[in-house]
Amino acid sequence: MPSNPDQYACECPQYSRPNNSILDSSSDASQTQADDEPCTTPLPKLQLFIIIFIQIAEPVISTVIYPFVNDLVRGLGITNGDEKKTGYYVGLVESIFYAGEALTVLQWGRASDKIGRRKILLGGMLGLSLAMLGFSLSNRYWILILNRCAQGAFNGNIGVTKSVMAEITDPTNVAQAFSFLPVAWSIGSTLGPFIGGTFTAPATRWPSVFGNIQFVKDYPYFLPCLVATLFPLSAFILAFVGLKETLPAAVERQNQVDALRAISEANAASPSPCPLSTTPLLADSSSSSTFFQDYGATGTTFARPPGTGVPSTPIKKTFPDTTPPPLLRILLIPRVLISITNFAFLAFLDQSLLVLLPLIYSTPMHLGGLGLPPSTIGNILGVWGVINGSVQIFCFAWVRMRLGHRACYMLGIGGLGACFALFPVLATLAQWDGGTVGVWVWCGIVLQLSAYMFSYMSYACMFMYIAAAAPSRSSLGATNGLAQLTASSVRALAPSTASSLFSFSLELAVGNGRFIGGYLVYIVLCTISAIALWWSCRLPETLERGHRREVPGDTAVE
């Protein structure tokens, strides 16, 4: 965003200043409705690009292991050769990532409300890079779990990116900005599986290049993890160089520091610096007072040389630097809870599907899977990710405009339910094709992944719902932190639940008949999808219903 708000008066007459949050959209909506052709504020392209790049790091790190995690767990010998138990141990590896995220995400959000967004994002990206490298060198199952948990803990600051997104936009461009978030996830979930499937076991795939390197033979999953590490590491460097602070209190503090530094340099360069006056602070204003008070973000009182209008040296502080972070109870209001619980349903179903896709695709056909190798799974998910990203960029705004905000969200929930229902159909088609992945199976995969695309539109809608539901601007970071905490908690539960249900279904299928036991996991997840679809009816039909006018100093009014 430009540093001078007044410049918007020329670009957008109906906006005399840009809003830093979509919380003011109710008042701005009424203003723009009065104009036939409302002006859209240009997006801050560089800042938006950095935030999107940071957002990409999460899906890359979380999904890069999916093509090879099943083989990795089997290779550690933890299953003792029993294929039906693979799902239990794989689920724990995938769940612990989001468990670590859930334990830290709210603290990251509240800390960003206190010390600023930029520092939190930088620390998370650097820690995520180190944790990913540790994961690639793990040769014991418990070490694997610890490093995966560390990845989630450092990734807990991902909710802060939503706060930054809301602070660099206003009601005229917030939908456009938030539509890039599912695109970022789509890009990351494209690159992650592609990297994991392409660079796994390089000594076997490219013996002429890596065949004589013993380290690569001992750690066949190091190369894909190393390539994935380049994303958070690059995000750290890019953010360190170009990301600006967006927390209003932190910006004010930095402005004060810059002003004092400039004044100090000017005084040092002056041939005859003026000593500070000792005139009382409450001197008569009609007299030629040598003092004035600047009550900015820091509440510092300054002295100035006689006859000048520039403060020179800080005297004292009269009140605290920043507004304290909001209490958790302030966030426990209906519109916040409804949005967050819907987000929880979406995250649970999406994560369950994301875990089941590579698990079922790699499971042998006689156990209800498709028997595909990791490279093929990585290519499937990679190609789908490219197509999905294009669909989100070019179709999301149109679909949202035609269907409405809530209906667009509900479409994604329905698509997830359809994806779960198609898994047994794929297994049946594979059996009809004589135990091979034929044309009809590929058509079923295309249909399944096409339905999956709509869930990414639901994410864009939900991000805007949550940002609009924040009680006040000062609680935006805490609101996004609470939402991310909830989503991370259910994502920690989803992988182990879905994969364990799949393994349990296989065990039931052997003992009690294929139809009842073998499809238990799909019955459960389709039922949860139906409940999520019903609960989404509690969301407001349009985004504006969840908005409220920002009142200065108000942090708790419903």
Side-chain angles (χ1 to χ4, degrees), residues 207-229:
S208 60
V209 178
F210 298 99
N212 296 325
I213 303 177
Q214 188 61 39
F215 178 82
V216 174
K217 293 180 179 180
D218 295 338
Y219 298 95
Y221 309 107
F222 174 79
L223 186 58
C225 293
L226 177 62
V227 175
T229 302

Side-chain angles (χ1 to χ4, degrees), residues 339-360:
S339 297
I340 288 178
T341 50
N342 274 280
F343 189 27
F345 273 117
L346 174 61
F348 180 87
L349 294 171
D350 174 55
Q351 193 62 37
S352 297
L353 181 59
L354 197 59
V355 168
L356 288 179
L357 279 172
L359 178 59
I360 296 177

Side-chain angles (χ1 to χ4, degrees), residues 323-521:
T323 303
L327 298 176
L328 182 60
R329 60 180 176 83
I330 296 175
L331 307 179
L332 303 182
I333 57 178
R335 70 168 179 272
V336 174
L337 295 178
I338 290 174
S339 297
I340 288 178
T341 50
N342 274 280
F343 189 27
F345 273 117
L346 174 61
F348 180 87
L349 294 171
D350 174 55
Q351 193 62 37
S352 297
L353 181 59
L354 197 59
V355 168
L356 288 179
L357 279 172
L359 178 59
I360 296 177
Y361 284 2
S362 66
T363 298
M365 287 189 180
H366 69 277
L367 294 177
L370 300 181
L372 297 175
S375 58
T376 302
I377 296 173
N379 291 334
I380 291 173
L381 296 179
V383 172
W384 169 80
V386 173
I387 299 174
N388 184 34
S390 302
V391 169
Q392 302 305 319
I393 293 174
F394 297 108
C395 299
F396 168 72
W398 183 85
V399 173
R400 179 176 174 269
M401 180 181 64
R402 292 289 181 180
L403 299 182
H405 203 80
R406 185 175 68 181
C408 183
Y409 171 80
M410 296 175 69
L411 181 64
I413 297 296
L416 288 170
C419 290
F420 294 124
L422 284 171
F423 275 123
V425 175
L426 293 177
T428 302
L429 291 175
Q431 294 176 0
W432 287 354
D433 284 343
T436 61
V437 179
V439 175
W440 287 109
V441 176
W442 284 111
C443 290
I445 291 175
V446 170
L447 180 62
Q448 184 182 49
L449 296 180
S450 298
Y452 190 20
M453 290 182 187
F454 291 107
S455 68
Y456 285 76
M457 297 185 183
S458 296
Y459 272 109
C461 295
M462 185 49 59
F463 293 151
M464 288 185 279
Y465 268 127
I466 292 170
S472 66
R473 183 175 301 164
S474 62
S475 64
L476 182 59
T479 303
N480 278 303
L482 180 60
Q484 198 66 37
L485 166 65
T486 306
S488 299
S489 299
V490 299
R491 281 173 176 163
L493 180 65
S496 57
T497 300
S499 58
S500 297
L501 270 174
F502 179 70
S503 294
F504 185 60
S505 298
L506 295 181
E507 293 178 355
L508 288 180
V510 173
N512 298 319
R514 176 84 186 159
F515 184 78
I516 301 295
Y519 298 132
L520 177 63
V521 58

Side-chain angles (χ1 to χ4, degrees), residues 46-61 117-126 128 154-162 164-165 181 184-185 188 231-244:
L46 177 60
Q47 299 302 301
L48 183 62
F49 172 77
I50 295 174
I51 291 300
I52 295 300
F53 195 83
I54 292 174
Q55 189 78 23
I56 290 174
E58 180 194 17
V60 169
I61 296 298
R117 320 295 190 198
R118 186 174 182 272
K119 295 177 182 177
I120 298 299
L121 291 175
L122 288 174
M125 290 300 100
L126 183 59
L128 191 60
F154 285 111
N155 196 66
N157 67 355
I158 202 67
V160 179
T161 60
K162 281 82 170 180
V164 175
M165 188 78 76
L181 290 181
W185 182 272
F231 286 88
L233 186 59
S234 300
F236 169 80
I237 297 173
L238 184 61
F240 183 81
V241 173
L243 183 63
K244 297 179 180 179

Side-chain angles (χ1 to χ4, degrees), residues 95-131:
S95 292
I96 201 67
F97 177 89
Y98 296 102
E101 185 176 293
L103 292 174
T104 59
V105 65
L106 184 57
Q107 286 71 25
W108 285 124
R110 289 175 63 84
S112 74
D113 285 335
K114 179 71 174 177
I115 66 175
R117 320 295 190 198
R118 186 174 182 272
K119 295 177 182 177
I120 298 299
L121 291 175
L122 288 174
M125 290 300 100
L126 183 59
L128 191 60
S129 302
L130 297 176

Side-chain angles (χ1 to χ4, degrees), residues 16-197:
S16 59
R17 63 175 179 83
N19 296 318
N20 291 329
S21 171
I22 64 174
L23 301 174
D24 293 325
S25 60
S26 59
S27 59
D28 290 315
S30 63
Q31 176 70 22
T32 55
Q33 288 172 358
D35 300 299
D36 294 332
E37 296 182 358
C39 180
T40 300
T41 305
L43 288 170
K45 296 181 177 59
L46 177 60
Q47 299 302 301
L48 183 62
F49 172 77
I50 295 174
I51 291 300
I52 295 300
F53 195 83
I54 292 174
Q55 189 78 23
I56 290 174
E58 180 194 17
V60 169
I61 296 298
S62 63
T63 63
V64 68
I65 71 169
Y66 288 167
F68 62 78
V69 66
N70 301 288
D71 292 339
L72 172 61
V73 170
R74 296 183 187 111
L76 293 176
I78 194 70
T79 62
N80 295 319
D82 190 348
E83 289 283 349
K84 294 189 292 298
K85 293 182 179 180
T86 302
Y88 295 116
Y89 296 98
V90 169
L92 181 57
V93 173
E94 295 166 342
S95 292
I96 201 67
F97 177 89
Y98 296 102
E101 185 176 293
L103 292 174
T104 59
V105 65
L106 184 57
Q107 286 71 25
W108 285 124
R110 289 175 63 84
S112 74
D113 285 335
K114 179 71 174 177
I115 66 175
R117 320 295 190 198
R118 186 174 182 272
K119 295 177 182 177
I120 298 299
L121 291 175
L122 288 174
M125 290 300 100
L126 183 59
L128 191 60
S129 302
L130 297 176
M132 191 67 206
L133 289 177
F135 181 89
S136 66
L137 299 175
S138 302
N139 54 8
R140 297 288 187 274
Y141 184 75
W142 66 271
I143 300 177
L144 202 71
I145 293 296
L146 288 179
N147 281 287
R148 191 64 171 167
C149 182
Q151 292 173 22
F154 285 111
N155 196 66
N157 67 355
I158 202 67
V160 179
T161 60
K162 281 82 170 180
S163 300
V164 175
M165 188 78 76
E167 287 169 339
I168 65 175
T169 58
D170 62 38
T172 67
N173 58 17
V174 63
Q176 182 184 2
F178 272 81
S179 67
F180 286 99
L181 290 181
V183 175
W185 182 272
S186 176
I187 294 173
S189 60
T190 298
L191 295 173
F194 178 77
I195 292 170

